[in-house]
Amino acid sequence: MARRTDEQIFLDELTYMAGDPPERVSSKALKATLDWAEDRYDRTRRRLIDGGVIKGVVGGAGGSLELLGGAKDLAGEPEKVAKVKPITAFISYSHADAKLKADLITHLTPLKRLGIISTWNDQEIKAGDEWEKEIVTKLAKADLVLLLISADFIASEFCYTKELTTALDRHKAKKAMVIPVILRPCLWTDLPFGAFQALPPAAKPVTGWESQDEALMAVAQGVREAVQALKR
């Protein structure tokens, strides 16, 4: 099971305290509930604000926080909430990168909680399912395909000849957006997906960052921006 990040813990507690419909939460009350050191709380709060997941509101002792993503505006209008369909994201990866894939999914959790995206990867295939058929079906329905790029991904016959080929065909047909996420250093720029805008920023591999949490949060923010572009 993937370790929960500070961002996920912070957002989980904020979501619980905000209630349904969501209301603003006192920053002082949230800090007391989390019982974190000042720098840990402020650092996590700033990352979520910069990522566009929450908003800081001035006023009162220490101000307050509110969730973004339309939840507050749609509160009290359940019929509108039901019509909001999250973007479906298919995650294509090599099993050699399973840990990094799990960490990325954890960082995408705020977007899933806000109803912005839903994700699928082959670890969700149930016992007894025809695994290749299930993958093909899910990929054919995806709005967004995240290619988790590494030397192992490129070396995988199934990832490269099956999933990548289908993803690029759907991109050409304007049925899906494709985003390469560079996990580890490898020769990828001359390959068929080399012309695509990659994440993290500047296509710096996730493992090359001083903090992988920072790298994966930057990926999550890039995904959020891509989804917003899809919905325009």
Side-chain angles (χ1 to χ4, degrees):
M1 188 173 184
R3 177 180 62 85
R4 295 172 73 222
T5 65
D6 282 353
E7 287 85 358
Q8 185 180 4
I9 295 169
F10 188 107
L11 190 63
D12 283 350
E13 193 59 46
L14 176 59
T15 302
Y16 176 77
M17 294 178 69
D20 185 17
E23 298 180 353
R24 291 176 180 174
V25 174
S26 162
S27 185
K28 183 177 180 181
L30 178 59
K31 186 187 298 183
T33 300
L34 290 169
D35 194 25
W36 285 356
E38 188 89 18
D39 62 337
R40 181 184 180 189
Y41 177 87
D42 289 342
R43 182 173 62 250
T44 305
R45 178 181 61 85
R46 175 48 54 192
R47 285 176 180 169
L48 289 170
I49 290 174
D50 290 345
V53 178
I54 65 172
K55 176 183 177 181
V57 181
V58 178
S64 58
L65 301 168
E66 67 179 48
L67 295 163
L68 296 181
K72 185 172 185 297
D73 294 335
L74 293 173
E77 298 181 50
E79 69 283 357
K80 290 188 179 180
V81 175
K83 294 178 183 177
V84 177
K85 182 182 177 182
I87 293 294
T88 57
F90 180 99
I91 300 177
S92 177
Y93 72 106
S94 162
H95 284 194
D97 298 312
K99 175 63 167 62
L100 284 170
K101 180 265 298 180
D103 290 343
L104 173 60
I105 290 174
T106 298
H107 276 271
L108 292 173
T109 298
L111 306 186
K112 294 167 74 174
R113 290 190 181 279
L114 292 169
I116 295 172
I117 68 168
S118 63
T119 64
W120 190 88
N121 70 93
D122 66 2
Q123 292 297 300
E124 297 180 44
I125 297 174
K126 301 179 183 66
D129 287 347
E130 296 181 41
W131 66 269
E132 186 168 351
K133 181 179 179 181
E134 191 71 10
I135 289 172
V136 170
T137 299
K138 295 296 184 182
L139 186 51
K141 294 179 179 179
D143 305 302
L144 172 66
V145 181
L146 300 179
L147 305 174
L148 307 194
I149 304 301
S150 69
D152 285 292
F153 177 92
I154 295 167
S156 167
E157 284 298 315
F158 191 83
C159 289
Y160 197 85
T161 63
K162 297 283 188 179
E163 295 181 356
L164 175 61
T165 299
T166 302
L168 294 180
D169 286 346
R170 285 180 56 73
H171 169 78
K172 289 176 185 176
K174 301 187 184 302
K175 293 181 178 179
M177 176 181 284
V178 175
I179 301 177
V181 177
I182 314 304
L183 296 184
R184 297 187 280 129
C186 60
L187 295 174
W188 66 275
T189 54
D190 292 327
L191 296 177
F193 51 86
F196 288 76
Q197 185 68 36
L199 293 170
K204 181 178 180 179
V206 169
T207 56
W209 289 55
E210 184 176 343
S211 166
Q212 288 189 16
D213 273 341
E214 293 277 4
L216 293 172
M217 184 176 177
V219 172
Q221 175 60 15
V223 170
R224 180 187 179 110
E225 292 170 358
V227 168
Q228 289 172 337
L230 278 176
K231 289 184 174 180
R232 288 191 190 116

